[in-house]
Amino acid sequence: MSSDSDLGFFVLLARKGNLSAAALELNLSPPAVSKRLAKLEDRLGVRLLNRTTRRISLTSEGEAYFQSAIKIMREIEELEQRVATARENPKGLLRVNATFGFGREYLTPVISEFSHLYPEVEVQLVLSDAPINLVEEGFDLGIWFGGLPNSRLRARKLQDNRRFLCASPSYLARKGVPKTLADLAGHNCIILRQDNASYDLWKFQRGQHSETVRVHGTLSSNDGEIALKWVLDGHGIMLRSEWDIARHIRANRLCLVLPHYAQVDADIYAVYPERHNVSAKVRLFIDYLHKQLQGRGEEGGPG
């Protein structure tokens, strides 16, 4: 413990055995050390040291204070070592929140691998497509798409992501391929009803130009996997993240529609409560997830 504390100051003084040696160690004058000792004794209401011109000695109260101070300082040092070790050796409960689709497709295998590497970390994955307050619900981190909702959170970008229009080849063969965004008015659009109240307003970016269109359709859901299954079954056009449709595009199960238009505010972030020190389990998990997602991203996007 630092000599800045009263305990550290008194232990140093008792061990040095005289005011001059203690003053030299503390880079203070002997009168300043004597004044600080007097203030400590006044606060405690007892005399801790007997002073002579050359030496100081412990009173009975001082001896008891010294022994207790040594014990307390040792316990504090051990506690600090345990905390510091915990920063480097991850252990304990790690609560993670993510959407159903991303959690099942990407987080499940990553957590499995991470658990083999760090068996002392207990990972609790909670999936929900409804917004969750990470701070109030006690989560260590969440996987979110788009920007931060408030300043109480910090974020690390895991991967670039955009949302594209897509449809099955069978649907496009029956209904035709839209040539402009305005053509979407004549198509059955499968709508995802989640946390955005304007779920039927699709906003697109093409270069510096942005455009918003209102869509409608006969099928909608708050579950992204269900909605994607309807698209694969040929029911209509959907706006969906590239991480979710890339494999279907490569397998020719889906086609991009108007590929020059996309929603660009859908990057993938690891979001966590703002704290001065991020624990080892959170830091290492985010690093590992970032590495794994980058590796998957190199396999190729939707087109």
Side-chain angles (χ1 to χ4, degrees), residues 31-46:
V33 173
S34 181
K35 183 178 180 180
R36 182 174 177 182
L37 173 60
K39 289 179 64 175
L40 174 60
E41 290 178 327
D42 288 343
R43 181 172 65 82
L44 295 176
V46 295

Side-chain angles (χ1 to χ4, degrees), residues 84-92 118 120-121 280-281 283-284:
T85 301
R87 273 187 60 85
E88 302 305 322
N89 301 312
K91 61 180 63 177
Y118 303 102
E120 292 188 73
V121 178
K281 61 188 177 185
R283 185 179 69 252
L284 286 175

Side-chain angles (χ1 to χ4, degrees), residues 11 57 135 145:
V11 167
S57 60
V135 176
F145 297 81

Side-chain angles (χ1 to χ4, degrees), residues 99-106 108 127 129 190 192 194 221-233 238 240 243-244 247-248:
T99 61
F100 282 101
F102 190 83
R104 290 166 178 160
E105 180 69 21
Y106 283 89
T108 298
L127 302 180
D129 283 328
I190 296 174
L192 191 58
Q194 291 181 333
S221 176
N222 68 336
D223 188 305
E225 289 190 49
I226 290 174
L228 182 59
K229 178 65 166 58
W230 288 336
V231 178
L232 290 165
D233 288 343
M238 185 183 184
R240 192 65 176 162
W243 66 263
D244 199 20
R247 64 192 187 281
H248 298 300

Side-chain angles (χ1 to χ4, degrees), residues 43-59:
R43 181 172 65 82
L44 295 176
V46 295
R47 189 174 182 84
L48 299 174
L49 293 173
N50 294 312
R51 289 89 150 167
T52 67
T53 55
R54 302 186 62 176
R55 289 191 56 81
I56 56 177
S57 60
L58 294 168
T59 65

Side-chain angles (χ1 to χ4, degrees), residues 7-257:
L7 288 180
F9 165 75
F10 183 74
V11 167
L12 174 66
L13 189 57
R15 284 174 170 169
K16 289 297 181 181
N18 66 72
L19 295 179
S20 297
L24 185 63
E25 180 77 16
L26 296 169
N27 197 28
L28 296 172
S29 66
V33 173
S34 181
K35 183 178 180 180
R36 182 174 177 182
L37 173 60
K39 289 179 64 175
L40 174 60
E41 290 178 327
D42 288 343
R43 181 172 65 82
L44 295 176
V46 295
R47 189 174 182 84
L48 299 174
L49 293 173
N50 294 312
R51 289 89 150 167
T52 67
T53 55
R54 302 186 62 176
R55 289 191 56 81
I56 56 177
S57 60
L58 294 168
T59 65
S60 58
E61 292 85 0
E63 179 67 30
Y65 189 78
F66 177 75
Q67 295 299 330
S68 295
I70 291 290
K71 180 180 179 182
I72 291 170
M73 289 172 62
R74 186 180 299 115
E75 290 174 349
I76 291 175
E77 183 179 359
E78 291 173 354
L79 173 61
E80 290 177 345
Q81 289 177 348
R82 287 197 300 271
V83 171
T85 301
R87 273 187 60 85
E88 302 305 322
N89 301 312
K91 61 180 63 177
L93 179 63
L94 175 67
R95 301 191 72 224
V96 183
N97 170 246
T99 61
F100 282 101
F102 190 83
R104 290 166 178 160
E105 180 69 21
Y106 283 89
L107 280 188
T108 298
V110 169
I111 288 174
S112 177
E113 297 162 3
F114 183 83
S115 186
H116 284 302
L117 293 173
Y118 303 102
E120 292 188 73
V121 178
E122 177 188 349
V123 183
Q124 184 181 100
L125 176 62
V126 177
L127 302 180
S128 172
D129 283 328
I132 283 182
N133 187 311
L134 298 180
V135 176
E136 293 181 1
E137 298 292 332
F139 282 93
D140 294 292
L141 74 149
I143 309 302
W144 289 5
F145 297 81
L148 291 178
N150 64 66
S151 59
R152 297 176 64 192
L153 300 173
R154 299 182 65 186
R156 177 177 173 184
K157 188 176 180 178
L158 297 174
Q159 189 173 11
D160 293 332
N161 182 56
R162 297 162 294 174
R163 295 188 181 99
F164 288 95
L165 292 166
C166 61
S168 69
S170 62
Y171 174 85
L172 296 176
R174 293 194 325 269
K175 300 295 186 179
V177 179
K179 303 299 183 184
T180 67
L181 290 179
D183 292 343
L184 293 176
H187 283 267
N188 194 44
C189 293
I190 296 174
I191 298 171
L192 191 58
R193 298 171 178 261
Q194 291 181 333
D195 59 311
N196 188 347
S198 303
Y199 45 78
D200 58 346
L201 288 177
W202 289 355
K203 185 177 181 180
F204 298 92
Q205 193 80 23
R206 182 177 183 179
Q208 300 301 314
H209 176 69
S210 62
E211 188 172 345
T212 300
V213 295
R214 186 176 294 276
V215 298
H216 65 277
T218 58
L219 295 175
S220 65
S221 176
N222 68 336
D223 188 305
E225 289 190 49
I226 290 174
L228 182 59
K229 178 65 166 58
W230 288 336
V231 178
L232 290 165
D233 288 343
H235 289 287
I237 298 174
M238 185 183 184
L239 186 61
R240 192 65 176 162
S241 289
E242 58 183 312
W243 66 263
D244 199 20
I245 63 174
R247 64 192 187 281
H248 298 300
I249 298 293
R250 291 193 293 268
N252 297 316
R253 292 188 293 267
L254 292 177
C255 301
L256 293 181
V257 175

